[in-house]
Structures are given as C-alpha cells and as structure tokens.
Amino acid sequence: MVNVTQGSAALDTRPPTPPKENVEEAAKLPVGPIYQGTLGQQIFLDTPNESPSSSADHLDSSVVKPPKRVVFSPWNGYYKAVTPNEKADGASLTIRPLPPSRECIAVRKSILKVPAIMPTSAVDVTPRLILSPTEKPSAMLRLASQHMADASRDVRLDAYQAVLRGLGNYDHAPDTGPLADNMAAFLEYARRDISLKISEPGTMDTELATNALKVLSAILDTQELVVAVADEFCTFIAERAVASLERQDLPKTMVDHYMHLLARQKMPQKSITWDRANRIMTALNGLEARLKGNRVVGLKLMIFHRLLSQSRSTLVARAEEWLEYLLASMSSSIKELRQRAIAFGIEAALILGTSTVVSQAWLNILDSEAQSGKKVVESLAERMTQLLNTKDEGLHVPRVWSIVVLFLRSRRRQIERWPHLKTWLAIMERAFNSSDLKVKVQASIAWDRLVFALELDSSTSLSLIKVIRQPIATQLERKGGDRHGRYAKQRARSTFCTMLYYAFRPGASHDQLDMYWNCFVSSLVAGKLTMTASDHNFACDVLEAVLHAPQPRLWDQNRANQLSTPMTPQELPCLDPRWIRHRAEKVVGLLKCLYANASNLQADDSRWTSLFRLWQSFVRALGDASSKEIKVSMETMTAVAHIVSMLSTQVPRRLEFHLTLITEAVATIGSRPFIEKRLLRSSTGTTYEAAETPSSRSNHSRAALHSPVVYLLDSLVNDRQEGSRDTNDDAIEVVLDIGLRVTKSRHTLLVALREMAADVPLDSSQPCPGRAAFWQAVARRTERVLSLPRAMAQDGTMPQRLDHDYKEVVQILSFGIQGLGAEVYPGWEALGNTLIETIRQETCESGVLLSYALPLSRSIQERGRNTDDTLLRCSSHLLAHIRWPSSKDELERAHKQLRGPQYVVSRPDEMDTFDHLHNMTEDLLVSAYREIQSIPQETVSEFLASVGSFLSLCPRSQRTQSLRRVQSGLAAWVEDLKNLVPNSPGSQGATSLFSRVGNHVMSYSASS
C-alpha cells in the first residue's frame, strides 16, 4: 500500500483550468473586433477535447471518484491551495473578506479539477506548471520554456495553455528586453510541436500543434514581442503557414489556425515575399471547395488586409480576386462581416485607389452584370438604399459609398466623368436627409472623402462644385436647436472646412482661389453663416484663418481621412497675401456684411471679438503684401480705398470699435497709404477709386483727390451724434494724429494740418454737426506743433524763410472764423496768442504785424460784410495786438527776418502795406452798426475799444491818413441815422471811440 498522505504531499497543487469554450459558438463570433483586443481577449483559450492533465484518469482507475464541485471566485487571481505540510491553523494564509455583492462582477472562472481521493499505488507523476498572476512576463516565459523542454506531451500541453492564460493577465505591453533570452528557446519548442507526429504514421498531433499555433499567433500579433523573434523563425513560420494552406489533407482545424496566424501576424515585410504572397492568394482561392462559412470569408479579408502592408504589389497584380471578395462582403447581410470588409476597404482604397490597375479592375467589377441581370453598381445602389431604410444598418452605407469613390482616383476627373455618379450621389442625398444622427455624421465624413478624392482645382467643373456645396449649405442653414442638431451642424462645419482645406491648397493659382472663394466662401458666409452668434463667430474664424496666420501651417494631403479630430478653421491654409490685396474688394464685401450684422449688438457680445480678430488678419495680410514696397503701389492704394469705403460709410453705434479698426489698419499697413492724396470719391459717395502716382496725374484730377485720412475725418465730422459727442471728438483727434505721421518737421506738420482743415468737411455747403469740434482739434494740434523748434537747414543754419510756417497757421485761423459759432473762439484765441508769442520770439514785434495781422485781416475782409459775434471778437483780438513799426528801417528788418537776408524790400508807401487792415476795420464798423441789435454788448464794446486802441497807437505822421481810411465806418456810428446807438448795448463803447477820435482830430488841428 502506498501512503496516500505521502503521495499527495509530493505533488504540487494543480493550477486551475479555464472553462472550455464552445468552438461552434466561437466560429460565429464577429470576425472584426475579436482580433483587436488584448492578448487575454481571444476566443481560442478553449480547453482541449481531451486533456490528460485536467483529470485523474491516468491514475488508478479502480479508485471511485466523487462528483466534482464547481466553485466560482470573485477575484481575478488564483492562489495555491494549502498542502498537508502547511500549518493547520492557516497562519501563513491571508484571509481576504468578500466584497459586497453589488461590487462583484459575474465573470467565468476556472474550475479546479483535483481528485479528492489519491491513488493507492505509487505512480511517478511529473510536477505540473504553476503560474502566479503576479509573475513577470519574462519569468513566466522562462518557466514555461522549462516545461516545454519536458519529454511529456501532457506537460508541454499544459505549458502552452499556461502561457496563454498568463499572457492574458498582462494588458500592458511587456518589455522585450527580458524576453529576448527566453524567446529563442521557446520558439524552437514551438517549431518542434507544430510538426510533431503521433504513433500513427503521418498523423499530426493536432491538439498540441493547435495550442502551439495559438501561442505563436499571440506573440506574432504583438509588435513588442515580434521584435524579439528571429528573422529565420519568421521565415520558417511564414513558409510553414503557406505550405499548410496548400495541403489538401490538412485538418480543417489546422487550416483555420494557420489562416488566423497569417491574419494576425506582424512579421517583417521580408518574411512575406512576393512569391509567398502569391501562393497565399492562390491557396486562399483553393480553400472555397473545402472550407465554407462566414468565418472563413472574414479570415480571408483579414489576410488581404495584412498583405496590404506586407506585399502591396501582389494585391495590385491580383486586384480582381480580392476586390470581388470585398464587394460581396460589403453588401453582406451579416453585420460583423460587413464591418470587417469596410475597415479593409477604406484602407485599401486610400492606398491603392490611385493605382491604374486596381481602379480599372474596380470599374470592371462595378460594370459587370450581376445575377439579377442588372449591373453590379446598380445592385449595390439598391442594396445601400435598403440598408438606409433599416434601423442600425444605415450607418454602414456612407462608408461603403466612400470606398467606391476612393477607388476611382487613378486619373484626373475620373469621378466627375463616371457614368454612374448621379446614381451614386442620390444615395448620399438620402443619407444626409436621414433622421438618424449617426447616419448624418457618417454622411459628412463620406463627403470629406469625396472632396479628398476629387482633388479640387481650377479644372473642376462648376456644376460639380455646386453639387459638393449644396448638402453642406443645407446643413449649415439649420438652426440646430437641440443637442443632436448642434452636433450635426458642427459636423457640417467641419466638412465645410475640409472643402476649403483642399480648395485653397498651397500653390493654388489665383484663378483657382477666385473660383472657390466665390463658390464656397462668398455664397456661404454672406447667406448661411451669419444667422446666429455661433454662425457669425464661425464665419469670422474661417475668414481669419485663411487671411493670415502668425506662423506657416503644415498642409497634409491625407487630412480628410484623419477621423480622430474634426477639421477646424485653425487648420486651413492661408491665402497668398498678394491675392488678398488684389481681391480686397471681395474680402471687404464680406466684412461689410459681418460688420452690419454686429452694428447693433451690445458691447460685451462675443461677435465683436471675432470681428476684430478677422480685421487683424485682413490688414496683416495687406501689410505682408506691401511690406517691401518703396513707393505705395496701385494695388495697395486700391486695397486702402476699399477699406476707406467700408469705414467711411458704416459708422456704427460702437464708435470705439470703429476707431479701433482704423488704428489697427494704419498701424499694420503703414501710415503712408493713408496720407497720400490718391483717392477719388464717386458721385454716390459710397465708393472710392485709387489714382496713379502724382507724377502721372493731370491738373484736373489733382484737384479732386484727397487722402484716405481726409475721407475718414469727413465721415466722422458729418456723422457726429449728440449722444456720442465726446467719443466722436476723441475719434476725430485720433484720426487727425494719423494724418500727422508724415514727418516731424514743423513746417510739414503745419502744412498737413492746414490741408486737413481746408478739406474737411468736403461739402461745406451742407450742415456739418462736427465741423466746430474738428477745427478745435486742429487748433490744439497746431499749438503743439508751434512749440516745436524750427527745422535746421542742411548746413546747420536756420531756414531762410520763417513766414511760411506763420502763413499756414494764419490760414488755419481764418478757417476758424467761417461761421463755426462762438464755441470755437476760446481755441481760436489760444492759437492766436501762441502764434503771436512765437513770432515775437523768433523775429520781432513788427513781425507780428507782417505775418499775423496783415494776412489775417485780408482773410477777414475777403469773407464779406456778414458780421457775427465770433468775427467781431476775432477782429478785436487782431486789432488789440497790433504794434505799429517805429520807422521804415524797423519794418525792413522785419521783412528780412521773415523772408531771409536776400529779400529786397520794394519800399512802397507804408500805408499801402496796411490797406487790408484799414479796409477790414472800416467794413466791420459798418456791419457792426448794422447788426448792433443782434450782437452781445460785450462784443461790440470790445470791438470798438480795440478800434480806438488801434487808431491811438498809429504814429502821429500816419494817424490822419488812417482816420481817413476808416472814416466811412466811423461815420456810421457818429451819424447814427437809425438812432441805434443810444438804445444799443454798445453805446458805451461808441462813446469811448468818439472821444478818442475827437482827441485825434483836435490834436491834428492844433499841430497844423
């Protein structure tokens, strides 16, 4: 008798064996996804039909075995059972409490097959392989390879099964370094076992071979493990697999496993030579007579898919063979098989669709006659229509649709000339109109692939471009109120970006950009993308992206097929800046549309931010196009004309934003195009035309030309609103400063100020609410410019003429007295005082008379006899600051200081020099008497007092002549024919004037 306790203690506890899978059910499982999971998610982990290691039949058969008891464990781990040698109290064990039942996941666990009663006779039992789930992959393979070296078939069989179970416990990719040493020996054992014969001559040990093939398939399917496999073994297993498929007597189980290995292997390309690939194709064709079923078809598709990356030339040479399989599988009624065919078809079409051989073979199959008597393409179209009407099946239709299209890319415009294109497009029309959101999304993706396949360029017909645009335009028009609607619209936006991505590809000609800008951008942005805030922002983002980018963007030909992320505006290629400048009118047209939609929005609306970013991109593109210009070109000036057309005709409620657009344009493009006088306004006043350079303009056209700054100022001055007066005045000053960026020379700045003051407003006959504010802004700038030092000549001396600067200021002062109202007088007086002080410092007292009083009196006289409060006050200021020269020499020195030492004084009669001054005084006295009732008392008194002061300071030798020249004006007050003086506010001033004049007359009589 054998001691049972002693015999059981010598044996290791057998590891649990996984439950046997139903092979028939496994054959029905999906062909596609089952090969894409981890190593532990395989259907081949079944227990052999007869596993000696899983029972105790090899022991004493006389022993009565109790029934087996099945116990399931809630943990994904196995623990070594307690042996008789261990402590009875279980101190060495760790007791783990059961988790709550709601946390337990119902999973199948292995069934322990351990005999309860040990044999009564001594038997030499080989220790079984025990693997812990915490074992590292390298240690696991090392232990398994030791058991595979065992002479016992059962031990080797258990080792393969243990390796499969162990690999299934490691979801992460194992390190290849530690496996390299054990991999060589392990593969040699696998080589031995897949060729092992059993006792009967010529009979293969199918069970051991299939388990070895399962392990090899798992290893060759993992890229991290394939690198540790020697090239020689890869060549061996590839040749073995091909030869096995060619054998007619090989069991179906083995054929199935070899097909599975070829479908999953990731061996180096040199292992699958062109000859082997051809033999694989031939062998697969010969399997139809022996093996049938959907599983075989699925494995064939998987092998074709693998050959796509390992022997592409073979698939090209034998295209019709696998294309027929592909087409039949895509229209199969079995969903899993259809999914596998679609996955293979899309990748094959993307890679081989440009091949002339493959594309022609595809056309031949589609044009061939089906069993129904119709063409294959017509039958396929009917099948796709049926699937669209079937719930959960229509999802595949757009994918199949795109595969058919992608195979038609071997020649330019091949799709456009395909006779069945209209029939094929009708399928997508139904897909876009489907109520299933998933079908709509897939339809948009298929449309992306159509755009990719068409390779849009300037030769694409306009009718096809409209066909491409129409479904996307319809999708963009929808409001997208619910969640599904918003998602569908977002997907349509991605497709719209895809259309622009390929239409505006880098290197596209200007004709191509014109065509697709009109068909895609102008037609959609203006009408479809400005309905809501989201639409408005998306339109701005698209235009912003295509007009300018801070850095160059990479362009990927295959971008439409990268489905992980939808296309966004930020990926769109930038247009040629020269094209943007040349087509500025088109861009500005869209900007006007977007600007008009945002004009009445609140200040915090997001559309303002999007619009400003778009504006930045546009002006930066213009700046890039003109950055190397020495002189402002005609193209740049034309672009600026369109900018002025937009900014001068659309002054919105948010004037701050409008001003921001102006300053951004000037800062980016440069100030020169905005200062040059090269714009001509049309008769309608809404458009502007750029003129040629000044050297090529006629005298007639030069008079009608103005600078862009003048037109912008004119729009601000004429559109001044009472509610936004302060903002408008600030805007005027900002734009006015832009006109002063020409130079820092005092004279040049004064000329620019005088020209703007003279030109704005352009139509002085119409009422202008902001004219006074504009003149005051000019006066303030003139004061600051006068404080600048005089420009030095090239030799370092002072300039020869000083009177030129003073003349510019006097003309500005004369503009201030042309009916602007009393509000301008404080600014006028301040500017006059500044000018007088500047002349005194730079010349002499007589210089004030020559450069200020005399030219200003001439301007006042030329204005006419209409007198108002402002005119009298300005005249009073002028007369009050006149200091007569003490001698002719002093007057001559003043002339030379103003005009240079070379100036020769003609020595006319001194009183002839003051003709305008006397005439002005006489005319104002007459008109002041006539308008005495409508002019404030203070103004009249001040004017009469200044006249008296002017006459009193006149030299005695010239006083009589001065009185004679103004006697008509004095007579009006003295005679007082209308009896206005006693009852007028200015009677006191008149009395003072009479007294001074009387004194002068008495003094003259006494001296004579």
Side-chain angles (χ1 to χ4, degrees), residues 684-702:
T684 61
T686 57
T687 59
Y688 297 84
E689 180 182 353
E692 295 292 342
T693 56
S695 59
S696 62
R697 294 179 300 186
S698 64
N699 294 331
H700 176 72
S701 62
R702 187 182 303 118

Side-chain angles (χ1 to χ4, degrees), residues 273-283 307 311 314 317-318:
T273 62
W274 188 86
D275 177 66
R276 288 196 185 100
N278 267 287
R279 289 168 57 195
I280 290 174
M281 297 288 294
T282 304
L307 290 178
S311 184
T314 303
R318 309 182 65 165

Side-chain angles (χ1 to χ4, degrees), residues 824-876:
V824 304
Y825 179 73
W828 193 98
E829 182 182 22
L831 177 59
N833 292 334
T834 303
L835 176 60
I836 292 171
E837 186 62 28
T838 302
I839 296 174
R840 286 173 177 168
Q841 292 178 357
E842 295 178 353
T843 59
C844 61
E845 191 66 43
S846 296
V848 176
L849 177 66
L850 296 176
S851 297
Y852 168 68
L854 296 181
L856 185 58
S857 64
R858 180 176 181 178
S859 299
I860 295 176
Q861 183 193 5
E862 292 175 350
R863 183 188 171 203
R865 294 183 177 272
N866 296 326
T867 304
D868 57 16
D869 178 39
T870 305
L871 182 60
L872 282 183
R873 296 179 69 181
C874 294
S875 301
S876 301

Side-chain angles (χ1 to χ4, degrees), residues 703-760:
L705 297 179
H706 299 284
S707 67
V709 168
V710 169
Y711 287 115
L712 292 175
L713 286 171
D714 183 69
S715 65
L716 292 172
V717 170
N718 285 283
D719 293 332
R720 189 169 186 256
Q721 304 293 331
E722 289 295 329
S724 58
R725 176 178 298 181
D726 294 339
T727 304
N728 187 276
D729 293 348
D730 294 340
I732 289 174
E733 294 198 7
V734 171
V735 178
L736 188 60
D737 288 337
I738 294 173
L740 300 179
R741 296 182 182 180
V742 57
T743 182
K744 292 186 178 181
S745 167
R746 187 175 80 172
H747 177 70
T748 310
L749 291 175
L750 291 174
V751 171
L753 286 168
R754 188 261 307 162
E755 290 178 347
M756 288 186 285
D759 294 339
V760 179

Side-chain angles (χ1 to χ4, degrees), residues 947-961:
V947 172
S949 176
F950 165 69
L951 295 174
S952 299
L953 295 176
C954 181
R956 178 181 291 270
S957 60
Q958 305 297 331
R959 190 173 298 168
T960 302
Q961 192 172 358

